[in-house]
Every structure is written in C-alpha cells, then in structure tokens.
Amino acid sequence: MAYQLASGLEPQLTLALSDTYQAEQYTNYLKELDLNYPELEFECIVAEHDDILNLVSIGRADLGLLITQAQYTPDLAHTTIPHQVDFGLFAAKTHPLAHLKKITYKQLSQYRLIHVKTTSAADELPPNHLFDIINPPIYWSASNYLLVLEMVVDGFGWAELPHELVKNFANNQLTELKVSGWPYNMSI
C-alpha cells in the first residue's frame, strides 16, 4: 500500500479507527491525504479492540488505529504512536453515583456498568480490567465508545470513557467519578 501511494498510484485506503482517538491531528492527516492524493478512495470504519485487528487481518481494512494491545498475532505489524488516551469513569449528572465525593469499587458494583464489547468471538478483556475488578451483576454493552457515552448520558449507568470523547460529545452532561486509581491513560 505504501509503495503504491509513493509511486503515484492512488488505490483505496481503509482505516479501522477506534473512537477513543479524538485527536485534532486526525483532521490534519485527512487534509494531507486529500492534498497529496486527491483521487484516493478513503474509507473510515469505527470499530474497537479485536474487531479492528480482525478487519486488518482479513484485509477489510488496510490500517487499524486502536489502544495498544498486550499482544498481537504474528501476521500483524504494529507500532505505538505518540498519543495517549486519558480514560475516566463517568456517570450522568443525575445518576446517584454523581453525588458521591469518593467512590469505592463496591459502590460502583451496585450500579449498571456500560462497557464496550466487540462483535468478535475472540474478544477478551485484558487481565485486571475494570470488569474483572468489579464483576458487575448487571451490565450493558455497545460496540463502540460513542454508543456507550450516549447510554451514560441518558442515565442508564456509568462507564469508563475517554476524556476527549466526553469533552467533544457529552455536552457537559456527565460527571467524572472520583475513584482511586482513576483517571488513567493508555497508548495508541
């Protein structure tokens, strides 16, 4: 693909992108693509975790941009970009958790967790993931963070969300929950 672009051929480029990546640089990269390759057919697919890896593995996407994984299959080349995603725990301002000063994991477990779950049969959460720590009796899931954010805004539960996504799309309707060890950041 890189060789085709460098030699002037302008095929299709498909990017599978996590919506955790909200960097302003993304628009700049698109402008650069548009300027240098005006005939390029570009497609962007929003997906998460294993779904992105699967899209690249089967050739449906040329590139994937996602949170750094603990391990990759040998057939996938990967690198980390100089961008961190900051995550926090959020609930709607009307949610009972939003009114607590300091929240324990036990208190979190008493309310519905809304989390990202991919469509991949192989999708597994990383060890020590929040889901394992809390072991919520009730949870809802969605295939991407934007859908999770919408459910949290509507007051259906609380979730782990990227700060930048909350800033860009929550319209000041969420409260960050004060829980030990949070917020934290991850590489892309």
Side-chain angles (χ1 to χ4, degrees):
M1 173 62 65
Y3 176 76
Q4 290 175 323
L5 289 172
S7 64
L9 297 175
E10 298 187 21
Q12 177 184 16
L13 175 65
T14 300
L15 172 66
L17 173 74
S18 167
D19 57 9
T20 58
Y21 185 71
Q22 295 287 312
E24 292 176 13
Q25 302 100 304
Y26 179 65
T27 302
N28 293 333
Y29 295 140
L30 289 180
K31 288 178 182 176
E32 190 175 327
L33 265 178
D34 181 47
L35 179 66
N36 293 315
Y37 307 100
E39 302 299 318
L40 177 71
E41 183 180 321
F42 179 74
E43 177 184 18
C44 183
I45 302 169
V46 176
E48 298 299 336
H49 311 301
D50 285 344
D51 285 349
I52 292 175
L53 298 175
N54 288 338
L55 289 166
V56 173
S57 287
I58 66 171
R60 175 64 180 88
D62 301 300
L63 299 170
L65 188 59
L66 68 154
I67 292 173
T68 302
Q69 304 296 292
Q71 59 186 351
Y72 300 87
T73 58
D75 62 321
L76 291 178
H78 57 90
T79 190
T80 301
I81 64 172
H83 183 80
Q84 298 280 313
V85 176
D86 296 316
F87 283 87
L89 301 179
F90 293 89
K93 289 185 176 185
T94 57
H95 193 281
L97 288 171
H99 306 291
L100 301 176
K101 298 279 185 221
K102 186 78 172 157
I103 302 167
T104 65
Y105 288 124
K106 183 174 180 167
Q107 289 170 309
L108 285 175
S109 70
Q110 295 171 5
Y111 296 92
R112 181 183 296 126
L113 166 64
I114 303 173
H115 74 106
V116 169
K117 183 176 181 182
T118 65
T119 59
S120 170
D123 187 32
E124 293 182 24
L125 297 171
N128 299 321
H129 184 271
L130 180 63
F131 201 87
D132 292 331
I133 294 169
I134 295 175
N135 193 18
I138 302 170
Y139 63 91
W140 286 6
S141 61
S143 62
N144 63 61
Y145 284 100
L146 194 54
L147 291 172
V148 169
L149 181 138
E150 288 179 7
M151 288 189 268
V152 173
V153 165
D154 289 335
F156 295 117
W158 61 273
E160 168 189 30
L161 292 166
H163 281 101
E164 211 167 340
L165 188 78
V166 170
K167 183 181 104 185
N168 292 340
F169 296 102
N171 296 319
N172 203 28
Q173 297 180 66
L174 298 181
T175 296
E176 186 166 4
L177 305 177
K178 304 298 181 213
V179 179
S180 178
W182 293 84
Y184 78 97
N185 63 32
M186 295 192 67
S187 298
I188 291 183

